[in-house]
PDB file of all heavy atoms in Angstrom:
ATOM      1  N   ILE U   1     -14.581  57.721 -65.182  1.00  0.00           N
ATOM      2  CA  ILE U   1     -15.203  58.487 -66.303  1.00  0.00           C
ATOM      3  C   ILE U   1     -16.023  59.665 -65.725  1.00  0.00           C
ATOM      4  O   ILE U   1     -15.920  60.743 -66.291  1.00  0.00           O
ATOM      5  CB  ILE U   1     -16.135  57.526 -67.142  1.00  0.00           C
ATOM      6  CG1 ILE U   1     -15.329  56.536 -67.965  1.00  0.00           C
ATOM      7  CG2 ILE U   1     -17.018  58.315 -68.079  1.00  0.00           C
ATOM      8  CD1 ILE U   1     -15.942  55.373 -68.598  1.00  0.00           C
ATOM      9  N   LYS U   2     -16.758  59.428 -64.711  1.00  0.00           N
ATOM     10  CA  LYS U   2     -17.531  60.494 -64.061  1.00  0.00           C
ATOM     11  C   LYS U   2     -16.635  61.650 -63.573  1.00  0.00           C
ATOM     12  O   LYS U   2     -16.973  62.806 -63.731  1.00  0.00           O
ATOM     13  CB  LYS U   2     -18.387  59.966 -62.917  1.00  0.00           C
ATOM     14  CG  LYS U   2     -19.655  59.162 -63.234  1.00  0.00           C
ATOM     15  CD  LYS U   2     -20.385  58.826 -62.061  1.00  0.00           C
ATOM     16  CE  LYS U   2     -21.618  58.027 -62.423  1.00  0.00           C
ATOM     17  NZ  LYS U   2     -22.333  57.590 -61.255  1.00  0.00           N
ATOM     18  N   ARG U   3     -15.514  61.342 -62.998  1.00  0.00           N
ATOM     19  CA  ARG U   3     -14.678  62.440 -62.449  1.00  0.00           C
ATOM     20  C   ARG U   3     -14.003  63.160 -63.573  1.00  0.00           C
ATOM     21  O   ARG U   3     -13.520  64.302 -63.326  1.00  0.00           O
ATOM     22  CB  ARG U   3     -13.714  61.905 -61.432  1.00  0.00           C
ATOM     23  CG  ARG U   3     -12.593  61.209 -61.963  1.00  0.00           C
ATOM     24  CD  ARG U   3     -11.392  60.995 -60.945  1.00  0.00           C
ATOM     25  NE  ARG U   3     -11.598  59.847 -60.130  1.00  0.00           N
ATOM     26  CZ  ARG U   3     -10.601  58.939 -59.873  1.00  0.00           C
ATOM     27  NH1 ARG U   3      -9.389  59.117 -60.370  1.00  0.00           N
ATOM     28  NH2 ARG U   3     -10.795  57.862 -59.217  1.00  0.00           N
ATOM     29  N   ARG U   4     -13.855  62.579 -64.774  1.00  0.00           N
ATOM     30  CA  ARG U   4     -13.238  63.337 -65.844  1.00  0.00           C
ATOM     31  C   ARG U   4     -14.201  64.211 -66.677  1.00  0.00           C
ATOM     32  O   ARG U   4     -13.793  64.871 -67.574  1.00  0.00           O
ATOM     33  CB  ARG U   4     -12.622  62.267 -66.782  1.00  0.00           C
ATOM     34  CG  ARG U   4     -11.454  61.627 -66.191  1.00  0.00           C
ATOM     35  CD  ARG U   4     -10.766  60.671 -67.155  1.00  0.00           C
ATOM     36  NE  ARG U   4      -9.659  59.997 -66.510  1.00  0.00           N
ATOM     37  CZ  ARG U   4      -8.804  59.159 -67.023  1.00  0.00           C
ATOM     38  NH1 ARG U   4      -8.940  58.768 -68.271  1.00  0.00           N
ATOM     39  NH2 ARG U   4      -7.771  58.722 -66.358  1.00  0.00           N
ATOM     40  N   ARG U   5     -15.509  64.291 -66.304  1.00  0.00           N
ATOM     41  CA  ARG U   5     -16.403  65.025 -67.023  1.00  0.00           C
ATOM     42  C   ARG U   5     -16.145  66.537 -66.814  1.00  0.00           C
ATOM     43  O   ARG U   5     -15.611  66.894 -65.713  1.00  0.00           O
ATOM     44  CB  ARG U   5     -17.848  64.740 -66.550  1.00  0.00           C
ATOM     45  CG  ARG U   5     -18.314  63.448 -67.070  1.00  0.00           C
ATOM     46  CD  ARG U   5     -19.722  63.233 -66.718  1.00  0.00           C
ATOM     47  NE  ARG U   5     -20.185  61.921 -67.203  1.00  0.00           N
ATOM     48  CZ  ARG U   5     -21.088  61.134 -66.716  1.00  0.00           C
ATOM     49  NH1 ARG U   5     -21.840  61.555 -65.611  1.00  0.00           N
ATOM     50  NH2 ARG U   5     -21.475  60.036 -67.198  1.00  0.00           N
ATOM     51  N   PRO U   6     -16.410  67.382 -67.786  1.00  0.00           N
ATOM     52  CA  PRO U   6     -16.159  68.806 -67.600  1.00  0.00           C
ATOM     53  C   PRO U   6     -17.050  69.332 -66.378  1.00  0.00           C
ATOM     54  O   PRO U   6     -18.231  68.857 -66.126  1.00  0.00           O
ATOM     55  CB  PRO U   6     -16.709  69.429 -68.871  1.00  0.00           C
ATOM     56  CG  PRO U   6     -16.763  68.274 -69.825  1.00  0.00           C
ATOM     57  CD  PRO U   6     -16.888  67.045 -69.092  1.00  0.00           C
ATOM     58  N   GLY U   7     -16.409  70.282 -65.668  1.00  0.00           N
ATOM     59  CA  GLY U   7     -17.186  70.858 -64.527  1.00  0.00           C
ATOM     60  C   GLY U   7     -17.076  70.158 -63.195  1.00  0.00           C
ATOM     61  O   GLY U   7     -17.471  70.699 -62.166  1.00  0.00           O
ATOM     62  N   VAL U   8     -16.389  69.008 -63.182  1.00  0.00           N
ATOM     63  CA  VAL U   8     -16.169  68.319 -61.932  1.00  0.00           C
ATOM     64  C   VAL U   8     -15.050  68.972 -61.107  1.00  0.00           C
ATOM     65  O   VAL U   8     -14.009  69.260 -61.659  1.00  0.00           O
ATOM     66  CB  VAL U   8     -15.843  66.812 -62.147  1.00  0.00           C
ATOM     67  CG1 VAL U   8     -15.484  66.095 -60.859  1.00  0.00           C
ATOM     68  CG2 VAL U   8     -17.067  66.068 -62.757  1.00  0.00           C
ATOM     69  N   GLU U   9     -15.361  69.308 -59.898  1.00  0.00           N
ATOM     70  CA  GLU U   9     -14.430  70.013 -59.029  1.00  0.00           C
ATOM     71  C   GLU U   9     -13.603  68.921 -58.334  1.00  0.00           C
ATOM     72  O   GLU U   9     -14.048  67.940 -57.805  1.00  0.00           O
ATOM     73  CB  GLU U   9     -15.094  70.859 -58.027  1.00  0.00           C
ATOM     74  CG  GLU U   9     -15.652  72.173 -58.560  1.00  0.00           C
ATOM     75  CD  GLU U   9     -16.050  73.149 -57.487  1.00  0.00           C
ATOM     76  OE1 GLU U   9     -15.364  73.229 -56.473  1.00  0.00           O
ATOM     77  OE2 GLU U   9     -17.123  73.792 -57.735  1.00  0.00           O
ATOM     78  N   THR U  10     -12.259  69.156 -58.396  1.00  0.00           N
ATOM     79  CA  THR U  10     -11.347  68.206 -57.668  1.00  0.00           C
ATOM     80  C   THR U  10     -11.306  68.677 -56.169  1.00  0.00           C
ATOM     81  O   THR U  10     -11.641  69.796 -55.876  1.00  0.00           O
ATOM     82  CB  THR U  10      -9.924  68.250 -58.301  1.00  0.00           C
ATOM     83  OG1 THR U  10      -9.432  69.622 -58.224  1.00  0.00           O
ATOM     84  CG2 THR U  10      -9.975  67.784 -59.727  1.00  0.00           C
ATOM     85  N   PRO U  11     -10.901  67.715 -55.255  1.00  0.00           N
ATOM     86  CA  PRO U  11     -10.856  67.982 -53.865  1.00  0.00           C
ATOM     87  C   PRO U  11      -9.939  69.250 -53.541  1.00  0.00           C
ATOM     88  O   PRO U  11     -10.249  69.999 -52.641  1.00  0.00           O
ATOM     89  CB  PRO U  11     -10.323  66.699 -53.227  1.00  0.00           C
ATOM     90  CG  PRO U  11     -10.435  65.711 -54.298  1.00  0.00           C
ATOM     91  CD  PRO U  11     -10.507  66.386 -55.608  1.00  0.00           C
ATOM     92  N   PHE U  12      -8.816  69.342 -54.251  1.00  0.00           N
ATOM     93  CA  PHE U  12      -7.845  70.359 -54.035  1.00  0.00           C
ATOM     94  C   PHE U  12      -7.347  70.915 -55.465  1.00  0.00           C
ATOM     95  O   PHE U  12      -7.473  70.152 -56.426  1.00  0.00           O
ATOM     96  CB  PHE U  12      -6.643  69.851 -53.275  1.00  0.00           C
ATOM     97  CG  PHE U  12      -6.952  69.435 -51.890  1.00  0.00           C
ATOM     98  CD1 PHE U  12      -7.161  68.081 -51.572  1.00  0.00           C
ATOM     99  CD2 PHE U  12      -7.044  70.365 -50.836  1.00  0.00           C
ATOM    100  CE1 PHE U  12      -7.493  67.561 -50.321  1.00  0.00           C
ATOM    101  CE2 PHE U  12      -7.433  69.918 -49.502  1.00  0.00           C
ATOM    102  CZ  PHE U  12      -7.571  68.589 -49.329  1.00  0.00           C
ATOM    103  N   LEU U  13      -6.973  72.101 -55.503  1.00  0.00           N
ATOM    104  CA  LEU U  13      -6.622  72.753 -56.662  1.00  0.00           C
ATOM    105  C   LEU U  13      -5.436  72.055 -57.456  1.00  0.00           C
ATOM    106  O   LEU U  13      -5.364  72.132 -58.653  1.00  0.00           O
ATOM    107  CB  LEU U  13      -6.213  74.236 -56.550  1.00  0.00           C
ATOM    108  CG  LEU U  13      -7.317  75.110 -56.029  1.00  0.00           C
ATOM    109  CD1 LEU U  13      -6.811  76.505 -55.564  1.00  0.00           C
ATOM    110  CD2 LEU U  13      -8.469  75.226 -56.959  1.00  0.00           C
ATOM    111  N   ASP U  14      -4.598  71.393 -56.703  1.00  0.00           N
ATOM    112  CA  ASP U  14      -3.427  70.823 -57.395  1.00  0.00           C
ATOM    113  C   ASP U  14      -3.563  69.300 -57.526  1.00  0.00           C
ATOM    114  O   ASP U  14      -2.595  68.556 -57.969  1.00  0.00           O
ATOM    115  CB  ASP U  14      -2.091  71.040 -56.531  1.00  0.00           C
ATOM    116  CG  ASP U  14      -2.179  70.608 -55.155  1.00  0.00           C
ATOM    117  OD1 ASP U  14      -3.338  70.283 -54.679  1.00  0.00           O
ATOM    118  OD2 ASP U  14      -1.083  70.380 -54.435  1.00  0.00           O
ATOM    119  N   VAL U  15      -4.764  68.759 -57.369  1.00  0.00           N
ATOM    120  CA  VAL U  15      -5.090  67.325 -57.593  1.00  0.00           C
ATOM    121  C   VAL U  15      -5.737  67.165 -58.941  1.00  0.00           C
ATOM    122  O   VAL U  15      -6.897  67.721 -59.130  1.00  0.00           O
ATOM    123  CB  VAL U  15      -5.946  66.742 -56.435  1.00  0.00           C
ATOM    124  CG1 VAL U  15      -6.214  65.367 -56.622  1.00  0.00           C
ATOM    125  CG2 VAL U  15      -5.136  66.871 -55.074  1.00  0.00           C
ATOM    126  N   MET U  16      -5.187  66.453 -59.801  1.00  0.00           N
ATOM    127  CA  MET U  16      -5.770  66.175 -61.123  1.00  0.00           C
ATOM    128  C   MET U  16      -6.663  65.060 -61.086  1.00  0.00           C
ATOM    129  O   MET U  16      -6.439  64.005 -60.244  1.00  0.00           O
ATOM    130  CB  MET U  16      -4.687  65.954 -62.143  1.00  0.00           C
ATOM    131  CG  MET U  16      -3.642  67.003 -62.176  1.00  0.00           C
ATOM    132  SD  MET U  16      -4.137  68.698 -62.162  1.00  0.00           S
ATOM    133  CE  MET U  16      -4.771  68.958 -63.794  1.00  0.00           C
ATOM    134  N   VAL U  17      -7.710  64.949 -61.854  1.00  0.00           N
ATOM    135  CA  VAL U  17      -8.681  63.787 -61.920  1.00  0.00           C
ATOM    136  C   VAL U  17      -8.004  62.458 -62.337  1.00  0.00           C
ATOM    137  O   VAL U  17      -8.443  61.364 -62.091  1.00  0.00           O
ATOM    138  CB  VAL U  17      -9.844  64.074 -62.766  1.00  0.00           C
ATOM    139  CG1 VAL U  17     -10.725  65.178 -62.207  1.00  0.00           C
ATOM    140  CG2 VAL U  17      -9.494  64.383 -64.189  1.00  0.00           C
ATOM    141  N   THR U  18      -6.793  62.583 -63.039  1.00  0.00           N
ATOM    142  CA  THR U  18      -6.081  61.472 -63.455  1.00  0.00           C
ATOM    143  C   THR U  18      -5.093  60.948 -62.404  1.00  0.00           C
ATOM    144  O   THR U  18      -4.449  59.856 -62.575  1.00  0.00           O
ATOM    145  CB  THR U  18      -5.312  61.802 -64.714  1.00  0.00           C
ATOM    146  OG1 THR U  18      -4.511  62.971 -64.510  1.00  0.00           O
ATOM    147  CG2 THR U  18      -6.144  62.144 -65.931  1.00  0.00           C
ATOM    148  N   ASP U  19      -4.997  61.555 -61.310  1.00  0.00           N
ATOM    149  CA  ASP U  19      -4.026  61.200 -60.256  1.00  0.00           C
ATOM    150  C   ASP U  19      -4.450  59.799 -59.781  1.00  0.00           C
ATOM    151  O   ASP U  19      -5.526  59.495 -59.482  1.00  0.00           O
ATOM    152  CB  ASP U  19      -4.188  62.168 -59.019  1.00  0.00           C
ATOM    153  CG  ASP U  19      -3.056  61.955 -58.039  1.00  0.00           C
ATOM    154  OD1 ASP U  19      -2.789  60.827 -57.690  1.00  0.00           O
ATOM    155  OD2 ASP U  19      -2.455  62.961 -57.587  1.00  0.00           O
ATOM    156  N   PRO U  20      -3.441  58.872 -59.686  1.00  0.00           N
ATOM    157  CA  PRO U  20      -3.713  57.464 -59.248  1.00  0.00           C
ATOM    158  C   PRO U  20      -4.181  57.411 -57.830  1.00  0.00           C
ATOM    159  O   PRO U  20      -4.803  56.401 -57.471  1.00  0.00           O
ATOM    160  CB  PRO U  20      -2.424  56.729 -59.541  1.00  0.00           C
ATOM    161  CG  PRO U  20      -1.344  57.757 -59.661  1.00  0.00           C
ATOM    162  CD  PRO U  20      -2.026  59.036 -60.150  1.00  0.00           C
ATOM    163  N   ASP U  21      -3.931  58.413 -57.053  1.00  0.00           N
ATOM    164  CA  ASP U  21      -4.367  58.394 -55.654  1.00  0.00           C
ATOM    165  C   ASP U  21      -5.608  59.318 -55.423  1.00  0.00           C
ATOM    166  O   ASP U  21      -5.876  59.624 -54.281  1.00  0.00           O
ATOM    167  CB  ASP U  21      -3.237  58.861 -54.744  1.00  0.00           C
ATOM    168  CG  ASP U  21      -2.061  57.794 -54.811  1.00  0.00           C
ATOM    169  OD1 ASP U  21      -2.322  56.656 -54.652  1.00  0.00           O
ATOM    170  OD2 ASP U  21      -0.903  58.265 -54.938  1.00  0.00           O
ATOM    171  N   TYR U  22      -6.286  59.676 -56.474  1.00  0.00           N
ATOM    172  CA  TYR U  22      -7.342  60.619 -56.393  1.00  0.00           C
ATOM    173  C   TYR U  22      -8.379  60.120 -55.301  1.00  0.00           C
ATOM    174  O   TYR U  22      -8.910  60.986 -54.602  1.00  0.00           O
ATOM    175  CB  TYR U  22      -7.989  60.732 -57.809  1.00  0.00           C
ATOM    176  CG  TYR U  22      -9.173  61.769 -57.826  1.00  0.00           C
ATOM    177  CD1 TYR U  22      -8.882  63.023 -58.164  1.00  0.00           C
ATOM    178  CD2 TYR U  22     -10.485  61.397 -57.565  1.00  0.00           C
ATOM    179  CE1 TYR U  22      -9.878  64.002 -58.199  1.00  0.00           C
ATOM    180  CE2 TYR U  22     -11.434  62.361 -57.554  1.00  0.00           C
ATOM    181  CZ  TYR U  22     -11.273  63.617 -57.961  1.00  0.00           C
ATOM    182  OH  TYR U  22     -12.206  64.544 -58.034  1.00  0.00           O
ATOM    183  N   HIS U  23      -8.692  58.858 -55.335  1.00  0.00           N
ATOM    184  CA  HIS U  23      -9.739  58.266 -54.402  1.00  0.00           C
ATOM    185  C   HIS U  23      -9.322  58.458 -53.006  1.00  0.00           C
ATOM    186  O   HIS U  23     -10.207  58.622 -52.143  1.00  0.00           O
ATOM    187  CB  HIS U  23     -10.172  56.854 -54.856  1.00  0.00           C
ATOM    188  CG  HIS U  23      -9.148  55.891 -54.923  1.00  0.00           C
ATOM    189  ND1 HIS U  23      -7.988  55.979 -55.707  1.00  0.00           N
ATOM    190  CD2 HIS U  23      -8.920  54.778 -54.200  1.00  0.00           C
ATOM    191  CE1 HIS U  23      -7.175  54.912 -55.493  1.00  0.00           C
ATOM    192  NE2 HIS U  23      -7.746  54.133 -54.536  1.00  0.00           N
ATOM    193  N   TYR U  24      -8.066  58.339 -52.709  1.00  0.00           N
ATOM    194  CA  TYR U  24      -7.607  58.535 -51.348  1.00  0.00           C
ATOM    195  C   TYR U  24      -7.647  60.061 -50.956  1.00  0.00           C
ATOM    196  O   TYR U  24      -8.132  60.402 -49.880  1.00  0.00           O
ATOM    197  CB  TYR U  24      -6.079  58.082 -51.149  1.00  0.00           C
ATOM    198  CG  TYR U  24      -6.005  56.623 -50.953  1.00  0.00           C
ATOM    199  CD1 TYR U  24      -5.826  55.710 -52.015  1.00  0.00           C
ATOM    200  CD2 TYR U  24      -6.199  56.020 -49.648  1.00  0.00           C
ATOM    201  CE1 TYR U  24      -5.727  54.387 -51.848  1.00  0.00           C
ATOM    202  CE2 TYR U  24      -6.131  54.615 -49.500  1.00  0.00           C
ATOM    203  CZ  TYR U  24      -5.931  53.851 -50.600  1.00  0.00           C
ATOM    204  OH  TYR U  24      -5.830  52.414 -50.378  1.00  0.00           O
ATOM    205  N   ILE U  25      -7.246  60.901 -51.908  1.00  0.00           N
ATOM    206  CA  ILE U  25      -7.304  62.358 -51.634  1.00  0.00           C
ATOM    207  C   ILE U  25      -8.772  62.782 -51.480  1.00  0.00           C
ATOM    208  O   ILE U  25      -9.047  63.567 -50.594  1.00  0.00           O
ATOM    209  CB  ILE U  25      -6.554  63.147 -52.714  1.00  0.00           C
ATOM    210  CG1 ILE U  25      -5.064  62.712 -52.765  1.00  0.00           C
ATOM    211  CG2 ILE U  25      -6.649  64.608 -52.516  1.00  0.00           C
ATOM    212  CD1 ILE U  25      -4.232  63.124 -53.943  1.00  0.00           C
ATOM    213  N   GLU U  26      -9.665  62.277 -52.290  1.00  0.00           N
ATOM    214  CA  GLU U  26     -11.020  62.599 -52.218  1.00  0.00           C
ATOM    215  C   GLU U  26     -11.607  62.045 -50.786  1.00  0.00           C
ATOM    216  O   GLU U  26     -12.338  62.908 -50.151  1.00  0.00           O
ATOM    217  CB  GLU U  26     -11.797  61.877 -53.321  1.00  0.00           C
ATOM    218  CG  GLU U  26     -13.191  62.254 -53.408  1.00  0.00           C
ATOM    219  CD  GLU U  26     -13.811  61.563 -54.633  1.00  0.00           C
ATOM    220  OE1 GLU U  26     -13.679  60.322 -54.901  1.00  0.00           O
ATOM    221  OE2 GLU U  26     -14.504  62.318 -55.453  1.00  0.00           O
ATOM    222  N   TYR U  27     -11.248  60.971 -50.342  1.00  0.00           N
ATOM    223  CA  TYR U  27     -11.640  60.471 -49.005  1.00  0.00           C
ATOM    224  C   TYR U  27     -11.106  61.368 -47.926  1.00  0.00           C
ATOM    225  O   TYR U  27     -11.827  61.744 -47.030  1.00  0.00           O
ATOM    226  CB  TYR U  27     -11.187  59.018 -48.789  1.00  0.00           C
ATOM    227  CG  TYR U  27     -11.629  58.363 -47.516  1.00  0.00           C
ATOM    228  CD1 TYR U  27     -12.757  57.584 -47.499  1.00  0.00           C
ATOM    229  CD2 TYR U  27     -10.884  58.578 -46.377  1.00  0.00           C
ATOM    230  CE1 TYR U  27     -13.160  57.036 -46.260  1.00  0.00           C
ATOM    231  CE2 TYR U  27     -11.284  58.055 -45.146  1.00  0.00           C
ATOM    232  CZ  TYR U  27     -12.387  57.263 -45.090  1.00  0.00           C
ATOM    233  OH  TYR U  27     -12.786  56.657 -43.985  1.00  0.00           O
ATOM    234  N   ILE U  28      -9.899  61.750 -48.002  1.00  0.00           N
ATOM    235  CA  ILE U  28      -9.289  62.667 -47.039  1.00  0.00           C
ATOM    236  C   ILE U  28     -10.005  63.952 -46.987  1.00  0.00           C
ATOM    237  O   ILE U  28     -10.306  64.497 -45.877  1.00  0.00           O
ATOM    238  CB  ILE U  28      -7.784  62.891 -47.532  1.00  0.00           C
ATOM    239  CG1 ILE U  28      -6.941  61.682 -47.135  1.00  0.00           C
ATOM    240  CG2 ILE U  28      -7.165  64.165 -46.704  1.00  0.00           C
ATOM    241  CD1 ILE U  28      -5.520  61.623 -47.762  1.00  0.00           C
ATOM    242  N   LYS U  29     -10.328  64.499 -48.128  1.00  0.00           N
ATOM    243  CA  LYS U  29     -11.135  65.769 -48.150  1.00  0.00           C
ATOM    244  C   LYS U  29     -12.586  65.643 -47.655  1.00  0.00           C
ATOM    245  O   LYS U  29     -12.994  66.459 -46.790  1.00  0.00           O
ATOM    246  CB  LYS U  29     -11.101  66.307 -49.594  1.00  0.00           C
ATOM    247  CG  LYS U  29     -11.944  67.572 -49.779  1.00  0.00           C
ATOM    248  CD  LYS U  29     -11.262  68.810 -49.248  1.00  0.00           C
ATOM    249  CE  LYS U  29     -12.049  70.059 -49.651  1.00  0.00           C
ATOM    250  NZ  LYS U  29     -11.320  71.229 -49.372  1.00  0.00           N
ATOM    251  N   GLU U  30     -13.249  64.603 -48.019  1.00  0.00           N
ATOM    252  CA  GLU U  30     -14.597  64.390 -47.726  1.00  0.00           C
ATOM    253  C   GLU U  30     -14.768  64.114 -46.189  1.00  0.00           C
ATOM    254  O   GLU U  30     -15.751  64.464 -45.542  1.00  0.00           O
ATOM    255  CB  GLU U  30     -15.218  63.266 -48.465  1.00  0.00           C
ATOM    256  CG  GLU U  30     -15.488  63.551 -49.893  1.00  0.00           C
ATOM    257  CD  GLU U  30     -15.955  62.370 -50.745  1.00  0.00           C
ATOM    258  OE1 GLU U  30     -16.034  61.244 -50.181  1.00  0.00           O
ATOM    259  OE2 GLU U  30     -16.283  62.618 -51.924  1.00  0.00           O
ATOM    260  N   ASN U  31     -13.750  63.464 -45.573  1.00  0.00           N
ATOM    261  CA  ASN U  31     -13.811  63.155 -44.197  1.00  0.00           C
ATOM    262  C   ASN U  31     -13.050  64.082 -43.327  1.00  0.00           C
ATOM    263  O   ASN U  31     -12.779  63.799 -42.106  1.00  0.00           O
ATOM    264  CB  ASN U  31     -13.344  61.699 -43.975  1.00  0.00           C
ATOM    265  CG  ASN U  31     -14.298  60.751 -44.605  1.00  0.00           C
ATOM    266  OD1 ASN U  31     -15.405  60.486 -43.954  1.00  0.00           O
ATOM    267  ND2 ASN U  31     -14.021  60.213 -45.760  1.00  0.00           N
ATOM    268  N   ASP U  32     -12.579  65.236 -43.907  1.00  0.00           N
ATOM    269  CA  ASP U  32     -11.935  66.313 -43.140  1.00  0.00           C
ATOM    270  C   ASP U  32     -10.692  65.751 -42.374  1.00  0.00           C
ATOM    271  O   ASP U  32     -10.481  66.173 -41.174  1.00  0.00           O
ATOM    272  CB  ASP U  32     -12.854  67.058 -42.297  1.00  0.00           C
ATOM    273  CG  ASP U  32     -12.299  68.337 -41.792  1.00  0.00           C
ATOM    274  OD1 ASP U  32     -11.467  68.967 -42.514  1.00  0.00           O
ATOM    275  OD2 ASP U  32     -12.662  68.796 -40.693  1.00  0.00           O
ATOM    276  N   ILE U  33     -10.013  64.823 -42.870  1.00  0.00           N
ATOM    277  CA  ILE U  33      -8.789  64.270 -42.312  1.00  0.00           C
ATOM    278  C   ILE U  33      -7.572  65.246 -42.307  1.00  0.00           C
ATOM    279  O   ILE U  33      -6.828  65.356 -41.409  1.00  0.00           O
ATOM    280  CB  ILE U  33      -8.475  62.897 -42.735  1.00  0.00           C
ATOM    281  CG1 ILE U  33      -9.649  61.949 -42.462  1.00  0.00           C
ATOM    282  CG2 ILE U  33      -7.144  62.388 -42.216  1.00  0.00           C
ATOM    283  CD1 ILE U  33      -9.536  60.588 -43.176  1.00  0.00           C
ATOM    284  N   MET U  34      -7.467  65.895 -43.486  1.00  0.00           N
ATOM    285  CA  MET U  34      -6.367  66.805 -43.781  1.00  0.00           C
ATOM    286  C   MET U  34      -6.870  68.049 -44.366  1.00  0.00           C
ATOM    287  O   MET U  34      -7.849  67.962 -45.224  1.00  0.00           O
ATOM    288  CB  MET U  34      -5.367  66.223 -44.648  1.00  0.00           C
ATOM    289  CG  MET U  34      -4.551  64.994 -44.102  1.00  0.00           C
ATOM    290  SD  MET U  34      -3.453  64.165 -45.252  1.00  0.00           S
ATOM    291  CE  MET U  34      -2.154  65.427 -45.392  1.00  0.00           C
ATOM    292  N   ALA U  35      -6.293  69.090 -43.997  1.00  0.00           N
ATOM    293  CA  ALA U  35      -6.600  70.414 -44.662  1.00  0.00           C
ATOM    294  C   ALA U  35      -5.542  70.729 -45.667  1.00  0.00           C
ATOM    295  O   ALA U  35      -4.375  70.257 -45.617  1.00  0.00           O
ATOM    296  CB  ALA U  35      -6.690  71.571 -43.633  1.00  0.00           C
ATOM    297  N   GLY U  36      -5.936  71.363 -46.733  1.00  0.00           N
ATOM    298  CA  GLY U  36      -5.007  71.814 -47.682  1.00  0.00           C
ATOM    299  C   GLY U  36      -4.197  73.105 -47.205  1.00  0.00           C
ATOM    300  O   GLY U  36      -4.469  73.581 -46.080  1.00  0.00           O
TER     301      GLY U  36
END
């Protein structure tokens, strides 16, 4: 619910908040494992 609020920035421009793997992509971005 928090990530679906207006104004929430997604980790990458092509990642939607509804993506079932959002939490993995968010972890990848936050821990600088992969660059876009």
Side-chain angles (χ1 to χ4, degrees):
I1 290 168
K2 282 183 180 179
R3 78 166 88 130
R4 290 183 178 184
R5 289 187 178 150
V8 172
E9 286 191 36
T10 59
F12 297 96
L13 297 171
D14 58 343
V15 176
M16 310 312 286
V17 294
T18 56
D19 191 314
D21 295 313
Y22 185 92
H23 57 301
Y24 278 93
I25 299 167
E26 187 175 49
Y27 183 95
I28 288 166
K29 175 74 172 190
E30 287 173 358
N31 292 282
D32 196 30
I33 295 169
M34 293 174 73

